[in-house]
Amino acid sequence: MFSMSRAARRKADGAGQPGVAGKPGGTGTAGEIRVRSAAGRWVLVASVLGSALAGIDATVVNIALPAIGRDFGAGFGTLQWAVTAYTVALASLILLGGALGDRYGRRRVFNVGVLWFAAASLLCGLAPTAGLLLAARALQGVGGALLMPGSLAMIQASFHPEDRARAIGSWSAFGGVATAIGPFLGGWLVQAASWRWVFLINAPLAVAVVLISRRHVPETRDPAATGRIDVLGAALSCLGLAGVTYAIIAAPEHGAGSPTVIVSGALGIAALAGFLVAEARQAHPMLPLTMFASRQFSAANGVTFAVYGAFGGVFFLLAVQLQVVSGFSPIAAGTAMLPITIMMLLLSARFGRLSQRIGPRLPMTVGPLICAAAILLMFRVGPDADYLRDVLPAVVVLGFGLAVLVAPLTATVLDAVGAEHAGVASGVNNAVARAAALIAIAALPAVTGLSGRSYDDPEAFSHGFHLSLIIAAALLVAGAVLAATMIRTPTAPPAEVPAAPQEEEPSAPRMHCAVDGPPLTARECNSG
């Protein structure tokens, strides 16, 4: 059994990839669908629309925050929770969502996630109180954690090996387009109708996704996925992140020494400590701590935590700054960040190939420094800011810095553990990035004095925003220093078992070729 070649195992499995058992479904069979076929186009439609549900929602909610606050008469802490409630659930459960798909069927779990996300979106759009909105946002995060891993996994398992790279490239390209359109659409809905339509519009799209998926996407699962699902780890991580986040957000209002803050913070820290203990003892942990024995893997995730903490905090506050302080309309604020998406789509794959030749250390050092310079350029975003003069230079430089940084960062994370663990490594890195953004969104306003009705006071909000920029720039510089001192350039690629002749080498360096996209090979990035 263990002496069977990788190519032979793939042929035996029938789905064209290790550990995937395909069976007929709709108009195609798992592992045999071609990109140019009608079945292939339908699989792409289902996967792209499903991932777009969660991807677009994560960006457009920031645009709707001032309108949500005014509608409910809510304080700034409520606006923070409108983002962090979703992120707590997503960051805690996304690894569990992938494991559930492998075990019980990727299409099935994907569809459950889509319907769950749609139901939670309806609750968000119809919420009569701020408290119900926040609870519904947390439920949205659960749905996102179930659907997001399955979106790419369905493509990997459904398409013929020769077409897999092209299919993933198309998925990434269309996903990038959706990311670009999302804030514009969200801003238009807020401005022309109501912030509630940002959520309500998800329901008909979700129904279409499920109908297409059930008709055209074959079911696949991993027969090698055995052992107990790590429910304890997921519960402890969710409780830990929620407790710490609540303590940070509540501290400005209740005082750092209040019983509420102390108890929630202590419970959160205890739960996170329990999570680490549980993961160390689990036979099949959600987060394999042994991966962090690699210095390269640990350092790359440390850089990820620093830089994505900076980005998460800045993107959250910039959407409010543009509307409250600079007087931008929701639709103008929504499209202000579009150049970042364009720069990433155009340049990320190119810088990924450059990092293959020169190694990751230099790009991972220079990239955060360029981003830090862009963050400091945002000091020009104030009262009566002009987009072309004050906003566009900052976002263009930021997009360039991200293109320099993200591709080698992702490749370093995956190369540090070998191709056989690439899926888990990518999931861990994704969770680290989301947890960093979560903590930054909670902590930056507390540190800079943004609380209560700050979003209704342009002068106070602008002061807090500018202090946050300094902290974010410092985080980026810290990430650059960590990369310069801890990231090494491998002298030779790790030895890997050869792949089947028709497929790309499994050790091919991977990168992001779209904003917040999955790690892809250079061939996949250029195949869309």
Side-chain angles (χ1 to χ4, degrees):
M1 175 179 174
F2 293 101
S3 62
M4 183 183 291
S5 71
R6 181 171 298 184
R9 287 199 305 271
R10 290 177 180 178
K11 183 176 180 180
D13 289 332
Q17 85 180 39
V20 176
K23 63 180 181 179
T27 57
T29 302
E32 300 297 331
I33 296 175
R34 309 304 297 233
V35 168
R36 294 187 181 275
S37 68
R41 289 191 287 271
W42 281 117
V43 171
L44 281 173
V45 167
S47 297
V48 169
L49 290 180
S51 63
L53 271 175
I56 293 175
D57 190 86
T59 58
V60 301
V61 170
N62 286 349
I63 306 302
L65 289 176
I68 292 173
R70 288 191 298 268
D71 201 7
F72 287 124
F76 194 74
T78 299
L79 303 191
Q80 289 174 274
W81 274 111
V83 177
T84 56
Y86 175 86
T87 311
V88 164
L90 183 63
S92 303
L93 302 176
I94 194 167
L95 289 174
L96 181 65
L100 290 172
D102 289 341
R103 175 75 67 84
Y104 298 111
R106 296 169 179 120
R107 185 187 66 182
R108 175 183 298 173
V109 173
F110 172 80
N111 284 341
V112 169
V114 169
L115 291 175
W116 187 307
F117 192 90
S121 296
L122 285 175
L123 282 177
C124 289
L126 300 174
T129 65
L132 185 55
L133 172 65
L134 301 186
R137 283 288 287 163
L139 290 175
Q140 265 194 315
V142 177
L146 294 175
L147 75 89
M148 290 180 69
S151 176
L152 182 58
M154 290 191 309
I155 290 180
Q156 290 272 29
S158 297
F159 282 94
H160 191 280
E162 293 179 356
D163 283 8
R164 217 170 276 153
R166 181 171 183 177
I168 295 174
S170 298
W171 178 86
S172 180
F174 285 118
V177 172
T179 301
I181 293 174
F184 175 84
L185 176 62
W188 179 79
L189 288 171
V190 172
Q191 187 171 327
S194 166
W195 62 265
R196 296 180 182 275
W197 281 101
V198 169
F199 300 106
L200 295 175
I201 198 173
N202 290 334
L205 182 59
V207 171
V209 170
V210 172
L211 291 176
I212 294 170
S213 174
R214 287 180 61 84
R215 176 66 181 86
H216 297 283
V217 178
E219 182 61 284
T220 60
R221 56 176 54 86
D222 184 357
T226 58
R228 300 174 62 182
I229 296 293
D230 188 11
V231 176
L232 176 62
L236 287 173
S237 64
C238 191
L239 179 62
L241 288 174
V244 171
T245 302
Y246 181 84
I248 295 172
I249 292 177
E253 181 179 352
H254 299 288
S258 73
T260 300
V261 171
I262 292 174
V263 170
S264 62
L267 285 175
I269 292 172
L272 290 176
F275 169 72
L276 295 177
V277 172
E279 297 306 279
R281 296 180 175 179
Q282 288 271 16
H284 301 279
M286 183 177 74
L287 176 64
L289 299 180
T290 53
M291 299 178 72
F292 290 92
S294 165
R295 171 181 167 178
Q296 187 87 330
F297 184 79
S298 297
N301 278 287
V303 175
T304 297
F305 191 87
V307 300
Y308 278 91
F311 298 147
V314 168
F315 290 160
F316 168 69
L317 295 173
L318 179 60
V320 181
Q321 173 81 0
L322 288 172
Q323 295 178 72
V324 171
V325 178
S326 302
F328 281 40
S329 66
I331 192 170
T335 55
M337 308 297 281
L338 182 59
I340 295 178
T341 303
I342 294 173
M343 296 289 284
M344 288 284 287
L345 289 171
L346 292 177
L347 300 177
S348 184
R350 290 174 173 82
F351 279 107
R353 290 192 293 272
L354 176 63
S355 71
Q356 292 175 228
R357 295 197 298 269
I358 67 175
R361 179 185 294 170
L362 183 59
M364 288 177 63
T365 301
V366 173
L369 295 178
I370 296 173
C371 292
I375 297 299
L376 295 178
L377 282 175
M378 290 182 186
F379 267 90
R380 299 171 62 90
V381 181
D384 301 317
D386 178 77
Y387 180 75
L388 292 178
R389 183 188 68 237
D390 302 318
V391 181
L392 183 61
V395 296
V396 168
V397 174
L398 182 58
F400 181 77
L402 277 166
V404 173
L405 164 68
V406 176
L409 172 59
T410 305
T412 301
V413 168
L414 301 188
D415 289 345
V417 297
E420 68 275 14
H421 300 301
V424 176
S426 174
V428 170
N429 190 242
N430 194 318
V432 167
R434 294 181 188 281
L438 167 69
I439 293 173
I441 291 169
L444 279 180
V447 172
T448 58
L450 293 175
S451 61
R453 303 284 299 184
S454 296
Y455 65 92
D456 271 347
D457 185 344
E459 184 176 353
F461 192 90
S462 187
H463 176 72
F465 174 71
H466 289 148
L467 288 178
S468 299
L469 293 180
I470 295 174
I471 297 171
L475 282 172
L476 288 163
V477 172
V481 171
L482 181 60
T485 56
M486 298 293 290
I487 296 297
R488 69 182 189 277
T489 298
T491 55
E496 296 287 351
V497 179
Q502 71 269 24
E503 295 192 74
E504 192 162 3
E505 287 295 315
S507 59
R510 293 178 172 255
M511 62 197 68
H512 283 263
C513 53
V515 176
D516 201 27
L520 308 174
T521 63
R523 174 184 164 192
E524 290 164 351
C525 279
N526 293 324
S527 297

